[in-house]
Amino acid sequence: MKVILLNEYLFGDMKVMYFIDNETKNVELMLVPIDTQIVNWDEKKQSVDSLVQLKIVGDTYLGGYAGGVTMRQGESTTLLKYKEQKFNSMEEKDQIITTLKDDRGYEVKHYLTWYKNSKSLNTFTKFYNKSSDIVTLEMISSFSIGGITPFTTGDAYHTLKAHRLRSVWSMEGRLETNTIEDFQ
């Protein structure tokens, strides 16, 4: 099997799942309600979406029509490989630290924290430059959630709606609801 469940954690009413692609060593984060069952990965039309999105000045952009439109899934993101994951349970909180690295000497640590009895999670990412080169980060994510439709086979075309609040001039706070396809 190409993609396997790396680890699963239960926090209150949430199930936190980490999947790893055995070939690329990319890791994905998926969050689902604790009492739900997800579809087997082999029945989905998706690949692992990296837990951390990273763009370094000089990276090549994603191909196709994405160049200059998004910094997601760029060169540095695809070079990140799983190194280790640690779980720390403390009196007030539980924390998962997932470490990803690439061969150029860069390392990222993704922190996911659940404060006990809370209904939310906190996340942040730290970047470590262990190379002798100077690098400039253009973008780093605090989280990236994949598996947006883990409860049905295929890609659930035109069945999922997204809600977004606009943040451009004169449209601040305006709610838009549309299918994911219409939002592109």
Side-chain angles (χ1 to χ4, degrees):
M1 185 180 297
K2 182 181 172 191
V3 178
I4 62 168
L5 180 65
L6 177 65
N7 281 311
E8 178 178 287
Y9 304 92
L10 305 177
F11 297 142
D13 63 351
M14 297 171 279
K15 188 184 319 182
V16 176
M17 305 170 80
Y18 292 89
F19 291 90
I20 187 167
D21 183 315
N22 276 330
E23 292 173 14
T24 65
K25 300 303 181 199
N26 288 326
V27 176
E28 176 172 314
L29 169 65
M30 188 183 295
L31 304 173
V32 296
I34 200 166
D35 58 349
T36 58
Q37 192 68 27
I38 65 168
V39 173
N40 185 304
W41 195 281
D42 293 335
E43 298 177 57
K44 301 297 297 167
K45 292 182 180 177
Q46 70 184 44
S47 56
V48 168
D49 185 59
S50 183
L51 166 70
V52 173
Q53 297 291 319
L54 178 66
K55 170 70 172 68
I56 294 175
V57 170
D59 282 356
T60 56
Y61 284 92
L62 189 64
Y65 297 105
V69 177
T70 182
M71 293 186 194
R72 288 181 48 79
Q73 297 299 81
E75 182 180 10
S76 287
T77 297
T78 61
L79 294 175
L80 292 174
K81 309 294 180 221
Y82 175 75
K83 180 179 177 184
E84 65 182 0
Q85 188 172 78
K86 294 181 181 177
F87 175 78
N88 300 315
S89 186
M90 296 158 257
E91 188 174 321
E92 295 180 2
K93 65 184 178 182
D94 289 337
Q95 187 172 64
I96 303 164
I97 304 168
T98 307
T99 305
L100 308 172
K101 65 175 183 149
D102 78 14
D103 293 336
R104 297 174 295 178
Y106 309 142
E107 188 173 279
V108 294
K109 289 184 184 281
H110 179 270
Y111 294 78
L112 186 140
T113 305
W114 176 63
Y115 289 90
K116 295 180 179 175
N117 299 315
S118 172
K119 294 190 179 282
S120 62
L121 302 167
N122 293 339
T123 66
F124 63 92
T125 305
K126 290 184 178 181
F127 176 84
Y128 299 89
N129 181 3
K130 297 183 175 186
S131 77
S132 59
D133 298 329
I134 295 173
V135 297
T136 302
L137 294 178
E138 283 189 274
M139 185 271 293
I140 187 167
S141 65
S142 56
F143 68 92
S144 182
I145 297 175
I148 199 163
T149 173
F151 307 114
T152 185
T153 59
D155 60 5
Y157 181 73
H158 270 289
T159 60
L160 300 174
K161 295 200 183 253
H163 307 280
R164 73 176 176 185
L165 294 172
R166 298 302 304 246
S167 64
V168 296
W169 181 81
S170 81
M171 294 184 76
E172 292 290 336
R174 185 170 292 168
L175 176 66
E176 283 186 303
T177 301
N178 226 328
T179 63
I180 291 175
E181 291 80 9
D182 287 339
F183 276 139
Q184 298 180 7

